[in-house]
Amino acid sequence: MREEAASIARATRRLLERERALTGGELVAAGIATATRKGLKLPELPAIAVGTVAAPASAPSVPAALSAPGQAASAAPAMPAFAPAPPAAAAAPPAPAAPRRPIASLSKTPAKPPAILPEVILPAFTEPVNASAFDGNRDAIHVAALPVLEQVASEANACTKCELCKTRTKAVPGIGSARSGIVFVGEAPGADEDLRGEPFVGRAGELLTSMIAAMHTKNLIPGVPLDRENVYIVNVLKCRPPENRNPLPHEIQQCSPYLIRQLEALQPRVICCLGKFAAELLLDPKANGLTKTTTLASMRGKTYRWRGAKLIVTYHPAYCLRSPSAKRPVWEDLQRLAQEYLDV
Ligand code: URA
């Protein structure tokens, strides 16, 4: 009898400790998962159900190195110049960039009749999110990251771990800094990058650069200058695959430790995966419910985690060049990135 009581007490303590480790959004997700398992009906939530985003009530102070004069917050940024306006007769545009409301207030006022939610697939996040430029210590992260980034770059420049070293002109380790805490991860260098030793400098690179510039001019993250120097731009592979073919599994396996070391040093707040190679490398398929047939389109629109970083997935700029209509969803994804960045 005494043993039984002790075992119940132990189980209760474990449960309380587990719940204490969860954030508000995770508690909601855990509650939903439990209710769903028990077959309870819940009010329908919007697709963005895990992780709430709230713009800061007042403009937080920014480290001197990051502050840019004359930036003021603006709501619902319109489509920037990099994305063409939709044709007049086009179907209704995708959801506007209104700031997301906290889950608590959404779930109190169900707009639709109750429905059973699918099992929540995103894992519970127990690691704290890495610092933003508002937290005051990104400068320290930036300084501490420099020697690691230099070391990785010199190793990548001399790397002979796979056959790509025989055909490359220059390795392309990465560019930018840890200052903002935003990292864009592409696929592999193309011809222009191979010649210059710098990522995203060809046509796709010009588009990426103008997307980052649009995030800045539309003031998506007020007070944090966004350009190629303040974000970090990097690829899954450091060397160009011949004829721009897709990276091969053994190349990714050999090369990805460089990227992982870079990310560990950069301690990003948000990682933006450009295309499926970056997403498939950085997302744990099991924890995120991904299979071999999961499309990039269905990976979009969610916020994942890679250690202490939030992670979002969007279309590769090269795909946007081939399919200009993809620029609109990319702009939505960049707004999600900014909202997640601002969320505490
Ligand atoms: N595409 C990429 O994925 N990376 C580059 O650096 C250039 C094009």
Side-chain angles (χ1 to χ4, degrees), residues 9-335:
R10 270 198 307 277
T12 309
R13 200 177 323 117
R14 270 201 306 275
L15 184 69
L16 287 173
E17 276 167 3
R18 216 168 45 230
E19 288 198 346
R20 215 174 298 131
L22 299 177
T23 64
E26 290 156 3
L27 272 173
V28 173
I32 291 167
T34 308
T36 308
R37 268 198 306 279
K38 291 181 179 166
L40 298 178
K41 293 199 170 185
L42 292 165
E44 198 172 59
L45 288 174
I48 303 163
V50 176
T52 58
V53 171
S58 59
S61 66
V62 181
L66 271 165
S67 59
Q71 289 199 330
S74 70
M79 280 289 277
F82 81 78
R100 281 185 276 151
R101 286 174 292 157
I103 285 170
S105 66
L106 283 170
S107 48
K108 264 189 231 148
T109 53
K112 292 185 185 164
I116 295 181
L117 284 174
E119 190 81 25
V120 174
I121 56 160
L122 298 187
F125 308 135
T126 49
E127 258 187 79
V129 182
N130 291 336
S132 74
F134 307 111
D135 300 341
N137 56 2
R138 287 243 45 114
D139 282 347
I141 295 172
H142 164 63
V143 171
L146 285 175
V148 181
L149 298 174
E150 271 170 29
Q151 174 65 25
V152 170
S154 73
E155 287 177 36
N157 288 333
C159 184
T160 54
K161 285 186 192 161
C162 78
E163 297 285 298
L164 296 183
C165 68
K166 295 186 181 151
T167 49
R168 75 175 175 226
T169 311
K170 286 185 177 173
V172 182
I175 194 145
S177 75
R179 282 202 192 93
S180 67
I182 297 172
V183 176
F184 292 90
V185 184
E187 182 180 314
D192 298 298
E193 292 77 18
D194 174 72
L195 286 176
R196 297 235 326 242
E198 189 176 320
F200 283 99
V201 290
R203 279 185 67 228
E206 278 168 19
L207 180 57
L208 176 63
T209 305
S210 63
M211 278 156 41
I212 296 168
M215 291 177 73
H216 181 78
T217 53
K218 296 288 177 183
N219 212 14
L220 292 197
I221 306 181
V224 180
L226 297 174
D227 54 27
R228 287 174 72 94
E229 276 164 35
N230 285 302
V231 303
Y232 202 79
I233 303 175
V234 68
N235 283 307
V236 169
L237 291 192
K238 306 301 184 217
C239 296
R240 181 191 182 202
E243 312 301 330
N244 295 348
R245 64 156 167 76
N246 283 344
L248 299 174
H250 76 274
E251 293 164 353
I252 295 175
Q253 197 188 6
Q254 297 285 355
C255 205
S256 57
Y258 294 130
L259 173 64
I260 302 304
R261 281 164 63 199
Q262 289 170 313
L263 291 176
E264 282 168 350
L266 291 162
Q267 295 183 44
R269 184 165 179 86
V270 187
I271 296 171
C272 180
C273 290
L274 303 168
K276 76 173 185 146
F277 285 95
E280 285 174 357
L281 175 66
L282 296 177
L283 288 179
D284 176 350
K286 207 164 156 203
N288 293 295
L290 308 177
T291 66
K292 282 202 174 85
T293 56
T294 306
T295 60
L296 192 105
S298 63
M299 288 183 191
R300 286 186 53 246
K302 302 185 184 87
T303 302
Y304 305 88
R305 285 287 290 270
W306 187 83
R307 308 194 191 170
K310 298 180 183 183
L311 185 150
I312 67 153
V313 177
T314 195
Y315 295 116
H316 193 284
Y319 176 75
C320 295
L321 291 176
R322 294 194 299 274
S323 310
S325 63
K327 290 179 185 175
R328 179 168 279 270
V330 168
W331 180 236
E332 288 165 19
D333 295 335
L334 296 179
Q335 289 173 78

